[in-house]
Amino acid sequence: MARMELQELVRRTDEFIRQSVIPIDDEHDGDVEAAGGDALRSRLQEQAREVGIFAPHAPIDLGGLGLGMVDRAPVFEAAGRSLFGPMALNINAPDEGNIHLLEQVATREQRGRYLDPLARGEVRSAFAMTEPAPGAGADPSMLATRAVKVDGGWLVSGRKWFITGADGASFFIVMARTKGEPGRDVAGGGATMFLVPAASAGVELVRHVRTVDRSMLGGHCEMLFTDVFVPDDDVLGGVDEGFRYAQVRLGPARMTHVMRWTGAAQRAHEVAVGYVAGREAHGARLADMGMMQQMIADNEIDLAATRALLVQACRELDEGGRASQITSITKTFAGEALHRVVDRAVQMCGGSGVSDDLPVAKLAREVRPFRIYDGPSEVHRWSIARRAVRIITGPAR
Ligand SMILES: Cc1cc2nc3c(=O)[nH]c(=O)nc-3n(C[C@H](O)[C@H](O)[C@H](O)COP(=O)(O)OP(=O)(O)OC[C@H]3O[C@@H](n4cnc5c(N)ncnc54)[C@H](O)[C@@H]3O)c2cc1C
């Protein structure tokens, strides 16, 4: 997209979020169900369509704006200033990542059934990978959900949890083991992705897992899949290729999370700076005190460094690379830096910082899980170090 056109899109997104979305978000303390759930989603998406900012990431033939990763960054950040902004633009997790995956991997028939209604915002979806112990968590190779080949398709059985958006989703992308045993190296394959309509026999929503955040539509649910029949036509991509496709989804999905949470952290920072600029203590403006200046400066540094890494990662992704190292580095740094920003913002605002009079407490609450999902920081550091040793010393002998 041309530079001027992109700037105008960012401006319109920013204006829409400030005028039409933030007031609803703040009134309901970021609790999406209390604010209206799916009815709110439909209403906001309609308004976003009217101002021409709906689905900026989706293909143009599906009603989107077809933005690449670098161009997405400022638009998603503007949307992320409100916890409900990404939902309004149809760029929220997990739908946005699922749109990307389906675009890359789905057959023409699967696109018609799953991708088209998802990109148009007619339905929601979920991505089901994580399992309770001893199944897949930080280590995907522990995948225990199984798919067994039967005539004309597969029977999928297993328990998943923390599945974002599951309540009300129209379909799930389920990762299941089709080869090998839990604990085997993921490079050896063994997992397959299945498209599973929520209405399929054997799909059960067990419970909502209560987490600190409240802004994600459909919650984070525990799901039970019992002998769910999936026809061969609904295998997503090749059999035993699931771990490879997970990387296709996860690299960009991690970066779009960084974009959205940068918007949230920027808002928390601005609110906190506004507070300290207008408050006096011990005979001076708080904003002019050394320790406060350090917090303001550190927030600026963390935000700027996050954006710089993000652009580098997005460039590599736009050039068609896997960008494994840079997306891991960016995800780890951003998860921790943005957490520091919102935590400093809470501190700068004193008692109001932990109240719901200001939005900083809710932003801190919502940002915290990002250090855990999309790969905990420790797992990324482990991968970053292993790649670095390989690159610097050559392949292991
Ligand atoms: C809000 C939220 C939404 C989520 N949404 C989804 C979703 O939509 N779909 C889905 O499939 N999953 C989802 N998840 C699950 C998420 O991906 C997992 O929680 C994450 O992968 C960690 O797995 P685990 O919880 O089993 O932690 P565990 O595997 O039990 O790990 C616990 C901790 O161990 C440490 N650790 C792990 N490996 C190493 C290592 N190699 N070195 C050092 N320390 C290590 C890390 O600190 C880690 O946090 C979501 C989670 C949350 C909190």
Side-chain angles (χ1 to χ4, degrees):
M1 185 177 268
R3 197 177 157 75
M4 295 280 284
E5 221 183 318
L6 183 64
Q7 280 173 350
E8 172 57 17
L9 178 61
V10 174
R11 191 198 62 73
R12 264 186 289 145
T13 303
D14 189 62
E15 186 179 80
F16 171 71
I17 296 296
R18 284 175 199 266
Q19 289 179 0
S20 306
V21 189
I22 282 182
I24 304 170
D25 172 353
D26 284 351
E27 185 187 340
H28 297 280
D29 193 34
D31 185 329
V32 70
E33 295 300 338
D38 269 307
L40 173 71
R41 171 179 177 270
S42 302
R43 202 170 74 234
L44 290 177
Q45 291 196 347
E46 201 43 56
Q47 292 172 13
R49 257 190 220 98
E50 279 164 21
V51 287
I53 57 172
F54 182 75
H57 60 315
I60 291 167
D61 60 322
L62 295 180
L65 302 177
L67 294 188
M69 292 296 290
V70 170
D71 287 353
R72 278 177 211 187
V75 181
F76 280 37
E77 181 181 330
R81 286 182 67 88
S82 167
L83 297 170
F84 301 165
M87 173 180 82
L89 270 65
N90 205 22
I91 56 167
N92 50 321
D95 291 334
E96 176 266 331
N98 288 345
I99 288 172
H100 178 81
L101 176 66
L102 289 166
E103 210 189 324
Q104 303 285 317
V105 182
T107 63
R108 180 191 291 264
E109 203 273 332
Q110 290 170 343
R111 288 171 76 99
R113 282 186 65 200
Y114 298 101
L115 173 59
D116 295 8
L118 188 62
R120 287 196 297 262
E122 291 160 10
V123 301
R124 291 196 284 108
S125 65
F127 186 80
M129 166 101 152
T130 306
E131 302 163 341
D139 179 359
S141 80
M142 312 272 285
L143 188 71
T145 295
R146 292 219 173 247
V148 178
K149 187 78 187 90
V150 292
D151 196 21
W154 298 78
L155 288 179
V156 176
S157 296
R159 190 178 290 271
K160 302 283 187 181
W161 70 355
F162 292 101
I163 307 309
T164 303
D167 194 354
S170 156
F171 68 92
F172 294 78
I173 298 173
V174 180
M175 284 278 283
R177 179 168 292 284
T178 39
K179 196 174 85 182
E181 293 302 318
R184 285 262 310 270
D185 184 4
V186 292
T192 302
M193 289 188 177
F194 295 92
L195 288 159
V196 178
S200 309
V203 176
E204 185 190 339
L205 193 160
V206 178
R207 66 176 175 125
H208 277 251
V209 183
R210 284 176 208 267
T211 51
V212 291
D213 59 313
R214 277 181 255 148
S215 69
M216 300 224 180
L217 196 53
H220 311 292
C221 300
E222 181 171 342
M223 300 294 307
L224 189 59
F225 298 89
T226 311
D227 287 337
V228 179
F229 178 73
V230 182
D232 287 324
D233 286 348
D234 281 347
V235 171
L236 181 59
V239 171
D240 293 334
E241 299 275 347
F243 288 131
R244 193 165 65 79
Y245 296 136
Q247 292 315 310
V248 168
R249 182 185 186 282
L250 276 171
R254 284 174 182 137
M255 296 306 93
T256 52
H257 262 310
V258 171
M259 297 170 194
R260 291 181 292 256
W261 290 130
T262 301
Q266 176 68 35
R267 183 175 183 221
H269 175 54
E270 287 172 17
V271 169
V273 170
Y275 180 89
V276 297
R279 176 82 165 136
E280 293 205 355
H282 309 287
R285 209 166 64 133
L286 285 178
D288 298 327
M289 292 176 159
M291 279 186 271
M292 197 55 82
Q293 288 173 327
Q294 177 159 8
M295 286 202 267
I296 297 169
D298 285 347
N299 275 1
E300 291 280 329
I301 292 165
D302 276 335
L303 285 162
T306 295
R307 290 189 185 102
L309 281 171
L310 187 56
V311 168
Q312 197 183 332
C314 288
R315 230 174 248 147
E316 281 194 32
L317 287 166
D318 279 343
E319 283 162 7
R322 281 187 61 189
S324 309
Q325 187 75 335
I326 187 66
T327 54
S328 270
I329 290 170
T330 305
K331 196 279 171 182
T332 308
F333 181 83
E336 296 173 3
L338 300 177
H339 171 75
R340 289 193 294 270
V341 171
V342 292
D343 189 60
R344 285 187 204 108
V346 168
Q347 190 69 16
M348 287 161 72
C349 294
S352 303
V354 291
S355 77
D356 62 8
D357 286 359
L358 294 178
V360 290
K362 77 170 172 189
L363 293 170
R365 170 193 90 201
E366 299 290 322
V367 167
R368 180 62 183 88
F370 185 43
R371 279 167 56 195
I372 294 169
Y373 57 71
D374 280 4
S377 294
E378 295 71 25
V379 176
H380 282 293
R381 281 199 169 81
W382 179 70
S383 306
I384 292 164
R386 289 203 317 170
R387 281 191 214 100
V389 171
R390 212 165 44 234
I391 291 163
I392 293 165
T393 67
R397 268 166 279 172

